[in-house]
Amino acid sequence: MLIFHNPVHHKHAGRHEMFRGRLVPCHETPARQEYVLQALRQRGIGELRAPSAPDMDLIGRVHAPRYLDFLAGAWQEWIALDPANAEFDVLPSIWPVRGFRHDVSPTNFAARVGLFSFDSGCPLTAGTWEAALAGAACAIDAARAVTAAGGPRAAMALTRPPGHHAGPDFFGGYCFLNNAALAAQALREAGAARVAVVDVDYHHGNGTQTIFYERGDVLTVSVHGDPTTEYPFYLGYADERGQGAGAQCNLNLPLPAGTGFAGWTQALQQGLDAVRAFGADALVVALGVDTYEGDPISRFKLRSEDYLEVGRLLAGLGLPAVFTLEGGYAVAEVGVNVANVLQGYAG
Ligand code: OKS
Ligand code: ZN
């Protein structure tokens, strides 16, 4: 197992996010990645690697170039408005909902932020672009490692910010570049004819679903809290099955808040059956561990030892695999739970 870890993840450190009318400290903190690194080191799981330079062409085949330009320049635009802005993070404040035009290009910065985002809980900071880009490189490198001759069977992109909510041209849910989608695209371009993304994070992977919704070469499966009550609310329902060439290539398995490991495992098994039926040649696991019973913002009831079995079930597919780190906010236990998945996977 190779672990591509993002050496500049700490440059993305949001100071505040909007919650119930006030600015509150961010859940998605640098400590999360450090706890995972520490747990992997303690158990001697994996070999650590730093990422190479990001493949901007590949990233531009997953994300819209004008969105990438926006992200690359957003902080400069923000402080150009007022140097005092450097003390504050960028948070969206206006969005073009139904009836507004999406084909216009307002130059106002707040208006531009609103075109490229979907919630106010996702701060963009001075180092967000650098951190997200290095994370994307980790995901691409991990995919290339597992498809290389003589490469390992599995690799992990150990990075933050996470990615599965980020779409072709929008950020949200703490995500900016979709690491799991980038890994899937890199696997395709390295020769895997059919790729499956299995998202086990507590939240629906709306960005990944949207990126691949009309493609028949990538199956997207997500097991998550029912969006009727859980974030991201507006996507993730069972009747979203893909469109056009991607018809039947998306599978959502929403479960009620409060679901424990028995119910959760049944849904995962159903998802893994779909991966087998699809005939995938390679696997991406969007690995969020906010399904943990102690997670402060989620409501499934998995225990730490359950993650060993999660790893074993995923290994049962017998596919080369890339893991990306998604959510999980019980910071100390994030390390143990991720290490358990990888240990269960390795057998
Ligand atoms: C709103 C809470 C937003 C929840 C974001 C979920 C992030 C996550 N203040 N996605 O997998 O863990
Ligand atoms: Zn999550």
Side-chain angles (χ1 to χ4, degrees), residues 164-165 201-203 290 327 329:
H164 73 150
H165 295 302
D201 187 278
Y202 180 77
H203 304 94
D290 41 12
Y329 308 99

Side-chain angles (χ1 to χ4, degrees), residues 62-344:
V62 168
H63 292 287
R66 68 178 199 134
Y67 172 60
L68 297 172
D69 290 344
F70 164 78
L71 285 181
W75 190 258
Q76 285 313 315
E77 283 188 56
W78 174 238
I79 56 176
L81 290 176
D82 179 351
N85 282 351
E87 299 303 312
F88 301 89
D89 299 337
V90 177
L91 288 178
S93 58
I94 183 166
W95 292 275
V97 297
R98 294 158 298 286
F100 280 102
R101 287 178 63 171
H102 290 232
D103 63 335
V104 291
S105 299
T107 55
N108 174 276
F109 182 68
R112 278 165 57 65
V113 176
L115 275 177
F116 295 117
S117 70
F118 69 92
D119 76 55
S120 63
C122 187
L124 188 156
T125 77
T128 296
W129 172 243
E130 192 187 341
L133 202 53
C138 290
I140 295 166
D141 283 0
R144 289 178 178 164
V146 301
T147 44
R153 196 68 177 155
M156 177 166 198
L158 175 52
T159 185
R160 50 171 296 286
H164 73 150
H165 295 302
D169 61 357
F170 55 81
F171 68 90
Y174 311 149
C175 301
F176 297 86
L177 296 178
N178 194 312
N179 304 312
L182 290 163
Q185 182 68 23
L187 288 167
R188 283 284 296 108
E189 294 184 15
R194 292 163 84 78
V195 174
V197 182
V198 174
D199 189 323
V200 298
D201 187 278
Y202 180 77
H203 304 94
H204 174 241
N206 64 290
T208 320
Q209 169 172 317
T210 298
I211 287 166
F212 295 117
Y213 207 63
E214 297 189 22
R215 282 175 56 170
D217 56 335
V218 178
L219 172 72
T220 43
V221 175
S222 183
V223 180
H224 51 264
D226 185 342
T228 307
T229 60
E230 306 307 297
Y231 185 95
F233 310 116
Y234 307 115
L235 210 63
Y237 297 86
D239 63 350
E240 299 155 15
R241 294 305 318 273
Q243 210 152 37
Q248 307 308 312
C249 296
N250 185 76
L251 180 62
N252 285 331
L253 299 162
L255 296 167
T259 296
F261 190 54
W264 187 89
T265 303
Q266 275 191 358
L268 180 66
Q269 290 281 16
Q270 194 183 329
L272 299 183
D273 287 345
V275 173
R276 290 186 185 95
F278 180 71
D281 306 298
L283 174 70
V284 177
V285 180
L287 178 57
V289 292
D290 41 12
T291 49
Y292 176 57
E293 61 181 354
D295 194 89
I297 66 169
S298 309
R299 300 195 282 168
F300 286 166
K301 297 281 168 251
L302 273 64
R303 296 157 303 164
S304 284
E305 61 266 32
D306 294 333
Y307 291 99
L308 289 160
E309 179 65 8
V310 175
R312 287 191 283 266
L313 290 168
L314 292 166
L317 288 173
L319 295 171
V322 172
F323 293 83
T324 61
L325 181 64
E326 305 294 344
Y329 308 99
V331 281
E333 289 85 0
V334 171
V336 172
N337 295 343
V338 168
N340 278 356
V341 172
L342 299 189
Q343 190 176 316

